[in-house]
Amino acid sequence: MDIQNRRVGRHIIRTSSAYRSTDHRNSLNLQMEGMIMINMPTVSESIKQARTNLVNSPKGILSLGDRKRIWISMNDPDNFEVSYLNRTQLKVLCVNHVKPIWSHIFPANPGIDRMLRLTHSLMEKSVDPEAAEDEAFYFFQDLSTSVESNVVTNPALMVADAATSMVISACYRNPDYDTADNDIDDEELAPDSYETSYTCASAAAGAMNWMSVDQVNVEARRSFWMWYLDEAIPAVLSN
């Protein structure tokens, strides 16, 4: 993967239904308004099937198709805001989980923490989405032009990539942001459209899905996805 040539089309909205909210109520309070109608048996069944597929994957891959089924099951059909908050908080947990990779390579660079704060501000509707999207875009663009892409820096750059996509995703409150298309394989996506959890898993593994097993830490990738299924998703839904 040539990270230096990424992010050319970051400002292209991935789905025609994407929109930025103009409702300025505190988003985090909306979960308290009325019943939250998430079908938990469907969520559990989707996670169970995904776990089985993950265990049986020789490369430790949790497919985009399996993740999409989980994301769709996590949506509340009667409350777009809850669906948005769940989707975004899951990405926040993923970036936090691999942030030590970034800190190890760039200990003096606060960029990931800045992207996390920006995402929380977007969730709370306390920052302009257009300004946040621009900041995230230029954060990664500056890294791409100033940091050499190599076997040492690539995992940290993947964390930065994940944090960038986390912020940009948080700018759009439509619940189908990650599920509107029919792609079921991460490698079918354009590089500038990789989803946050995939890039985080790749950072943990040191390589993308398409690379051979002798070039990647398969168990680190599998461990990340097990954490995603067994800890991250339940933590989001418990809130």
Side-chain angles (χ1 to χ4, degrees):
M1 181 185 65
D2 184 357
I3 297 186
Q4 300 288 7
N5 294 324
R6 302 287 300 284
R7 301 297 156 217
V8 214
R10 263 303 191 193
H11 287 288
I12 297 174
I13 297 174
R14 285 171 48 193
T15 66
S16 59
S17 60
Y19 63 91
R20 296 189 178 104
S21 173
T22 55
D23 181 353
H24 294 289
R25 291 176 294 169
N26 186 335
S27 305
L28 298 178
N29 290 334
L30 292 181
Q31 293 190 54
M32 304 304 296
E33 297 181 6
M35 296 283 290
I36 295 178
M37 303 298 293
I38 296 174
N39 189 328
M40 292 308 298
T42 302
V43 175
S44 297
E45 183 57 35
S46 299
I47 292 174
K48 180 181 177 181
Q49 182 61 56
R51 189 184 295 110
T52 298
N53 293 341
L54 172 60
V55 168
N56 292 330
S57 169
K59 298 179 75 173
I61 290 172
L62 181 63
S63 73
L64 178 60
D66 279 334
R67 299 193 328 270
K68 279 187 175 183
R69 279 187 288 274
I70 295 170
W71 299 335
I72 291 170
S73 71
M74 289 173 62
N75 278 344
D76 182 340
D78 296 324
N79 194 327
F80 283 4
E81 191 69 1
V82 166
S83 301
Y84 161 79
L85 291 171
N86 286 344
R87 160 169 68 84
T88 306
Q89 183 59 28
L90 187 54
K91 295 176 190 291
V92 167
L93 291 179
C94 288
V95 171
N96 268 311
H97 192 70
V98 297
K99 190 175 76 168
I101 297 172
W102 167 267
S103 301
H104 178 70
I105 303 298
F106 302 113
N109 190 321
I112 301 302
D113 284 330
R114 173 56 187 161
M115 294 298 103
L116 287 163
R117 288 195 300 272
L118 202 53
T119 302
H120 284 294
S121 295
L122 286 161
M123 294 169 73
E124 295 169 352
K125 299 182 181 177
S126 61
V127 67
D128 175 54
E130 186 172 355
E133 184 171 3
D134 284 344
E135 182 173 345
F137 176 83
Y138 288 114
F139 163 66
F140 193 86
Q141 185 180 68
D142 289 346
L143 280 174
S144 298
T145 57
S146 63
V147 176
E148 180 184 356
S149 174
N150 56 47
V151 69
V152 174
T153 61
N154 272 356
L157 291 173
M158 290 177 193
V159 176
D161 186 17
T164 299
S165 62
M166 170 189 67
V167 173
I168 292 175
S169 166
C171 292
Y172 298 92
R173 306 187 91 87
N174 54 308
D176 64 344
Y177 182 88
D178 289 319
T179 58
D181 54 47
N182 296 319
D183 296 319
I184 59 172
D185 185 340
D186 289 287
E187 297 305 323
E188 293 175 357
L189 300 176
D192 66 330
S193 296
Y194 288 152
E195 189 270 328
T196 297
S197 65
Y198 169 63
T199 320
C200 287
S202 299
M208 316 299 275
N209 284 358
W210 58 268
M211 297 188 73
S212 61
V213 292
D214 60 336
Q215 297 177 288
V216 61
N217 188 334
V218 170
E219 290 314 309
R221 177 191 284 146
R222 195 189 313 276
S223 176
F224 174 88
W225 286 128
M226 282 295 188
W227 165 84
Y228 185 83
L229 295 174
D230 294 343
E231 297 183 43
I233 293 172
V236 168
L237 294 177
S238 70
N239 292 328

